[in-house]
Amino acid sequence: SPAHTADLVVFGGTGDLSMRKLLPALYHSDRDGRLSPETRVIAMSRGGLTDADFRGKVDAEVRDRVPVDDPAVWQRFLGRLRHVSVDVGGADASGWEALARLLAEDEQRDRVYYLASPPRTFGPFCRELREAGLVTPRSRVVLEKPLGHDLPSAQRINDEVGAIFDEHQIFRIDHYLGKETVQNLLVLRFANAFLEPIWNSLWIDHVQITAAETVGTPGRRGYYDHAGALRDMVQNHLLQLLTLTAMEPPARNDREAIRDEKVKVLQALRPIAGTEVERFTVRGQYTEADGMPGYLDEPASTPPTEASRRVETFTAIRAEIKNWRWAGVPFYLRTGKRMPYRRSEIVVQFKDVPHSIFPGGGPNRLVLRLQPEEGIELHIMAKEPGAGEVTLKPVPLSLNFGTTFTARVPEAYERLLTDVLAGNPTLFMRRDEVEAAWRWIDPILSAWESSSDLPEPYPAGTTGPAGAHELLGRSGRAWHEEE
Ligand code: BG6
């Protein structure tokens, strides 16, 4: 059944995220009958647009990105859209008043304030909303990443937003949690009997979590110089994947039970600090190669600075979880821009057989692929057909969601927006989770910041600097694609 009627107010409503992800996701929800007929989407921006201007913009920029099979549905969707101009941080309160008038048309609706704006605006926007009397018990607020740039700034944002909204009203987005395979990981682990007994250090040799991208950072230097791969991808997305892989079975499929288990994993991460940072982490920055520009030559509105030279576009980390289940099992995390392929996956590598009676052979691997082509593969050893010597070959037992299920695989934001509108926070990060993640990240950041070394260069289009290979190589292991 469709969700409650809601007013979804998007700050940064004409920005990149809104046009590329949120509006297409909302259109899909509308098309699939998941939006109540009265639900409205109110974009807030400085733009000075009328409702008609905004609808025209969405018609021009979003229509081509979504399948419009029925023009009437598209028109219905456009009809939900409103635009309110707001003077952010300025003295002119007329925008807030206009928003208040619009929302007052129906006081009974759920209100969702989606902050798709820079994190420094989170606190001020929330205060403006309260001052305008717009925060009701049925209001929720959605915070986009990045949630701060270190632990103190994340705590400050959480305090500021927490002074106005209760924790149960705050939805912190990590769009990786909306990915189909990520939710399937929980089903795979907790709805199948055969994995749990071997999901531990007795059977598992190590885990690799990779998010490789082919894109660079054109036009993003202003953000990326001060983010880098560790803040942009590891603190949130990769650590979320790690918690879901490593968590204990929760007693119930419920928001707090699942998030409680995830926090425990983050709290059990062995800190990497001081001189250990150099041993257990690798930083890289891509350089010009094969017609692709280096990080420093990417088109940007300002020339590169010292911060640009120091920022990592690639990182690899050897993490460890200090608890009974995982003691001694390395979790290797890796992410980078301008790698040779776009691929996000979790690879669980099992130990070798205790005693091998065949020549050759190798370990079993379970691969959970988030993208492209969502799927799960279990690599097992098989005998190559033939009457001669036994020859072993790893072959995948594979499940491809796209071909196994006929239903369209929804985009991450569709799932997450549906959950926000239904008030279900299970797939959103709780305050203690975000802060526990920063607590682990901060010492790595500070060791990097105080180091005189620059990130190791790697040519654009390659799998990262030599250090990333040594990180595994020194214990006789290798990244998944290298075998
Ligand atoms: C975002 C990062 O959170 O995730 C981007 O800011 C990155 O730098 C993106 O490209 C990757 O998301 P996806 O869904 O394409 O893997």
Side-chain angles (χ1 to χ4, degrees):
S1 65
H4 299 284
T5 296
D7 279 328
L8 174 62
V9 183
V10 186
F11 294 80
T14 58
D16 194 53
L17 182 79
S18 183
M19 302 305 275
R20 275 192 317 112
K21 300 283 186 188
L22 304 182
L23 290 163
L26 287 164
Y27 165 74
H28 274 118
S29 295
D30 191 357
R31 177 172 171 260
D32 295 351
R34 276 182 280 115
L35 290 188
S36 107
E38 307 294 321
T39 286
R40 300 185 293 188
V41 180
I42 304 169
M44 307 281 290
S45 83
R46 288 186 177 141
L49 308 181
T50 63
D51 290 348
D53 294 338
F54 179 53
R55 289 176 188 158
K57 181 176 164 70
V58 173
D59 195 38
E61 294 176 31
V62 179
R63 190 185 172 127
D64 288 346
R65 298 183 187 195
V66 293
V68 176
D69 26 40
D70 180 351
V73 174
W74 179 248
Q75 288 308 321
R76 175 179 79 199
F77 175 68
L78 290 182
R80 297 176 184 275
L81 307 182
R82 304 280 187 285
H83 184 275
V84 173
S85 296
V86 65
D87 177 25
V88 184
D92 178 4
S94 62
W96 300 102
E97 289 159 11
L99 178 64
R101 276 195 303 279
L102 202 55
L103 295 178
E105 288 172 11
D106 183 355
E107 301 276 358
Q108 297 313 310
R109 295 170 174 226
D110 287 5
R111 291 178 185 173
V112 176
Y113 299 109
Y114 195 119
L115 308 188
S117 49
R120 68 188 141 71
T121 65
F122 293 174
F125 276 158
C126 290
R127 282 194 292 275
E128 297 273 12
L129 287 171
R130 184 176 56 192
E131 274 154 35
L134 299 178
V135 179
T136 58
R138 295 184 56 168
S139 296
R140 301 189 266 281
V141 65
V142 184
L143 308 179
E144 254 302 333
K145 67 171 283 250
L147 242 133
H149 55 270
D150 56 9
L151 180 62
S153 58
Q155 283 169 327
R156 196 157 53 241
I157 292 171
N158 282 331
D159 286 343
E160 287 176 355
V161 176
I164 291 158
F165 291 92
D166 274 352
E167 179 64 24
H168 78 271
Q169 297 174 293
I170 304 174
F171 287 63
R172 298 177 189 82
I173 290 250
D174 185 311
H175 80 280
Y176 266 54
L177 293 179
K179 290 185 190 272
E180 201 65 25
T181 315
V182 176
Q183 296 159 58
N184 247 303
L185 171 56
L186 293 183
V187 174
L188 179 76
R189 285 195 58 202
F190 304 132
N192 293 291
F194 71 100
L195 273 178
E196 182 52 28
I198 55 171
W199 204 254
N200 57 50
S201 64
L202 292 180
W203 295 91
I204 293 178
D205 178 72
H206 73 276
V207 176
Q208 303 182 6
I209 302 178
T210 292
E213 299 184 276
T214 51
V215 292
T217 53
R220 277 185 102 193
R221 185 179 296 143
Y223 160 72
Y224 204 87
D225 269 3
H226 301 284
L230 189 64
R231 290 186 174 101
D232 187 47
M233 295 291 289
V234 179
Q235 187 271 339
N236 35 64
H237 309 324
L238 269 59
L239 284 183
Q240 286 294 320
L241 300 182
L242 174 138
T243 61
L244 294 169
T245 308
M247 72 193 259
E248 295 301 313
R252 293 174 309 279
N253 178 18
D254 110 2
R255 53 188 70 170
E256 303 312 337
I258 290 182
R259 297 193 294 178
D260 287 346
E261 295 306 335
K262 287 167 61 192
V263 174
K264 288 184 207 161
V265 173
L266 294 169
Q267 289 168 342
L269 279 171
R270 184 177 172 283
I272 302 180
T275 51
E276 283 187 349
V277 172
E278 205 179 321
R279 251 178 75 213
F280 295 131
T281 75
V282 175
R283 293 177 285 159
Q285 186 180 96
Y286 61 87
T287 54
E288 184 274 326
D290 279 343
M292 288 177 277
Y295 178 72
L296 300 176
D297 327 307
E298 289 281 13
S301 49
T302 52
T305 62
E306 183 58 17
S308 324
R309 269 181 286 282
R310 296 188 58 85
V311 78
E312 79 286 357
T313 62
F314 173 99
T315 184
I317 301 177
R318 182 188 191 281
E320 268 175 57
I321 300 167
K322 303 261 282 179
N323 62 19
W324 271 52
R325 187 187 288 269
W326 296 115
V329 178
F331 279 68
Y332 296 102
L333 311 178
R334 170 176 68 149
T335 183
K337 303 286 185 195
R338 290 260 192 247
M339 291 180 65
Y341 39 72
R342 174 168 188 260
R343 189 197 299 155
S344 293
E345 65 185 14
I346 301 169
V347 180
V348 177
Q349 182 163 323
F350 292 89
K351 293 194 167 163
D352 287 326
V353 294
H355 169 69
S356 173
I357 59 170
F358 303 110
N364 296 123
R365 280 202 191 99
L366 180 71
V367 180
L368 294 128
R369 214 173 30 254
L370 280 63
Q371 54 202 28
E373 310 220 329
E374 294 87 349
I376 300 177
E377 280 173 12
L378 179 63
H379 294 251
I380 59 163
M381 282 300 145
K383 176 186 171 303
E384 259 194 278
E389 288 244 328
V390 173
T391 317
L392 301 189
K393 197 175 156 63
V395 286
L397 296 177
S398 57
L399 164 63
N400 178 315
F401 292 119
T403 53
T404 303
F405 299 99
T406 50
R408 181 179 65 87
V409 178
E411 281 250 11
Y413 276 97
E414 273 176 73
R415 166 35 11 102
L416 297 177
L417 282 165
T418 304
D419 285 358
V420 173
L421 289 168
N424 177 5
T426 310
L427 295 177
F428 295 80
M429 294 181 295
R430 216 165 55 186
R431 173 174 188 155
D432 52 351
E433 255 182 278
V434 175
E435 294 182 2
W438 279 119
R439 203 164 276 123
W440 186 72
I441 292 287
D442 270 10
I444 301 177
L445 282 172
S446 50
W448 286 357
E449 271 154 27
S450 56
S451 158
S452 53
D453 297 339
L454 293 176
E456 278 179 70
Y458 64 97
T462 64
T463 55
H469 305 282
E470 286 152 23
L471 187 70
L472 276 70
R474 62 178 186 244
S475 54
R477 300 181 174 111
W479 293 106
H480 179 208
E481 77 279 3
E482 288 169 352
E483 303 192 342

